[in-house]
């Protein structure tokens, strides 16, 4: 038998779909392409107003070197790592403990506590700016990395607990019954049964939380003042001068800031995809 010919209408529909995808992709990549091009420009190009044309002189090495030698970006970068890594670890620990208890133990107030975790995700963080800042001032933590770590752990744990609770609740009950029959304590069950099974979920959550905390700008501005504490997002804003802005250095700094989340995603891509699809299909 000969294959049935594809109708002309279906061919044109496919072509339109492909064209639409290409247009959306180009629109999405245009700002990134412009930033990359600007990071290659020399200072003479920027001062001469060549912000959109092809660079007349490639200064990529000088620009990226100057980001770390002529600006405080190295300090900002270290501050972001100091804030982000403890925040991710704290969120993973807190959400795993809370998700395990809320999914596997029935007690009075269980659903109320879970509702509080879920409800916190619907509150705009901006409306809590003044109370949070006042709290940090009273605790003498304003303008410290500890203030940002405490804030991110507190506010990201709600979403992470919802995430982990659903994953742990999907695990087979027989595993927990077998662990109890062997005399395992709740903590031993968590360490030896739950955590090995939810590693993909932990990896996916780690990437999401890392990206959220690393890219945070609003709270970095609210809770920090001095350059010795600011993370990279607030630090990038400082690179803009009052009268003249070195857009080539700002663009190079933007590319440098975007690298860690991208690298982390590609290193953990397999675990990230497995974590997001884990439990989506049940036998």
């Amino acid at each position: 038998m000969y294959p049935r010919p594809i109708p002309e209408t279906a061919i044109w529909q496919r072509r339109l779909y492909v064209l639409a995808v290409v247009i959306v992709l180009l629109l999405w990549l245009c700002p990134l392409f412009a930033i990359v091009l600007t990071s290659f420009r020399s200072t003479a190009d920027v001062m001469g107003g060549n912000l959109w044309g092809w660079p007349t002189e490639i200064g990529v090495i000088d620009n990226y070197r100057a980001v770390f030698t002529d600006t405080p970006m190295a300090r900002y970068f270290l501050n972001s790592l100091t804030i982000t890594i403890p925040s991710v670890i704290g969120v993973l620990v807190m959400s795993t403990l809370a998700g395990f208890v809320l999914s596997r133990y029935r007690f009075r107030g269980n659903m109320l506590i879970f509702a509080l975790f879920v409800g916190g995700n619907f509150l705009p963080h901006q409306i809590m700016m003044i109370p949070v800042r006042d709290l940090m001032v009273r605790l003498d933590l304003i303008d410290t990395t500890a203030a940002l770590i405490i804030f991110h752990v507190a506010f990201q744990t709600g979403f992470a607990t919802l995430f982990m609770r659903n994953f742990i609740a999907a695990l087979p009950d027989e595993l927990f019954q077998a662990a109890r029959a062997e005399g395992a304590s709740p903590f031993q069950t968590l360490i030896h049964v739950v955590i090995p099974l939810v590693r993909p979920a932990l990896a996916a959550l780690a990437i999401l939380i890392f990206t959220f905390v690393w890219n945070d700008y609003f709270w970095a501005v609210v809770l920090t003042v001095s350059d010795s504490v600011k993370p990279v997002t607030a630090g990038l804003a400082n690179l803009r001068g009052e009268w003249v802005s070195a857009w080539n250095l700002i663009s190079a700094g933007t590319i440098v800031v975007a690298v860690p989340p991208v690298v982390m995603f590609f290193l953990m891509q397999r675990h990230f995809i497995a974590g997001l699809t884990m439990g989506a299909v049940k036998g």
Side-chain angles (χ1 to χ4, degrees):
M1 294 180 60
Y2 293 100
R4 296 179 60 184
I6 301 176
E8 189 70 20
T9 305
I11 294 175
W12 278 105
Q13 286 178 346
R14 292 182 183 180
R15 291 176 179 175
L16 289 175
Y17 292 152
V18 171
L19 179 62
V21 171
V22 170
I23 292 174
V24 171
L25 187 61
L26 289 176
L27 291 175
W28 182 64
L29 291 178
C30 271
L32 178 61
F33 181 70
I35 293 173
V36 172
L37 265 187
T38 304
S39 72
F40 292 164
R41 301 182 193 281
S42 63
T43 302
D45 260 2
V46 175
M47 298 301 294
N50 182 18
L51 299 178
W52 297 102
W54 193 261
T56 58
E57 181 183 354
I58 301 297
V60 57
I61 298 177
D62 294 336
N63 290 343
Y64 283 90
R65 185 192 300 119
V67 165
F68 290 100
T69 58
D70 299 344
T71 71
M73 280 302 296
R75 181 63 186 176
Y76 299 148
F77 203 89
L78 181 61
N79 290 341
S80 281
L81 290 176
T82 305
I83 293 166
T84 304
I85 293 175
S87 298
V88 172
I89 294 174
V91 171
L92 292 181
V93 171
M94 296 291 290
S95 62
T96 302
L97 292 173
F100 175 64
V101 172
L102 292 174
S103 64
R104 289 296 163 182
Y105 293 92
R106 297 292 178 263
F107 54 89
R108 182 174 297 179
N110 179 299
M111 292 306 298
L112 176 61
I113 296 174
F114 181 61
L116 290 176
F117 277 111
V118 176
N121 295 319
F122 297 100
L123 289 176
H125 292 180
Q126 291 79 1
I127 67 174
M128 293 175 278
M129 177 181 67
I130 295 177
V132 169
R133 184 176 175 84
D134 288 346
L135 176 63
M136 293 304 170
V137 170
R138 291 175 182 272
L139 295 176
D140 198 24
L141 292 175
I142 195 69
D143 198 28
T144 64
T145 56
L148 286 170
I149 292 171
I150 292 172
F151 169 81
H152 287 304
V153 170
F155 280 81
Q156 298 294 342
T157 298
F159 162 75
T161 298
L162 171 64
F163 192 87
M164 292 305 300
R165 188 252 185 197
N166 291 337
F167 275 104
I168 296 173
L171 297 177
D173 293 333
E174 291 78 8
L175 295 174
F176 297 92
Q177 294 172 4
R180 284 194 294 268
E182 293 292 332
S185 65
F187 185 74
Q188 290 173 327
T189 302
L190 173 65
I191 297 297
H192 298 291
V193 176
V194 174
I195 291 181
L197 294 175
V198 297
R199 277 182 193 166
L202 289 172
L205 189 59
I207 295 174
L208 293 175
I209 300 301
F210 185 95
T211 304
F212 294 158
V213 177
W214 184 271
N215 291 335
D216 172 68
Y217 174 75
F218 180 80
W219 292 104
V221 173
V222 171
L223 298 179
T224 63
V225 178
S226 60
D227 287 346
S228 60
V229 180
K230 287 182 178 179
V232 289
T233 48
L236 274 175
N238 284 0
L239 296 184
R240 183 175 180 179
E242 184 177 358
W243 305 108
V244 178
S245 296
W247 292 111
N248 52 338
L249 297 185
I250 295 175
S251 298
T254 302
I255 299 299
V256 170
V257 170
V259 166
V262 174
V263 170
M264 185 173 181
F265 173 78
F266 280 107
L267 289 177
M268 304 180 70
Q269 182 178 11
R270 179 170 59 87
H271 299 289
F272 179 75
I273 296 174
L276 293 181
T277 58
M278 182 179 175
V281 179
K282 293 185 177 180

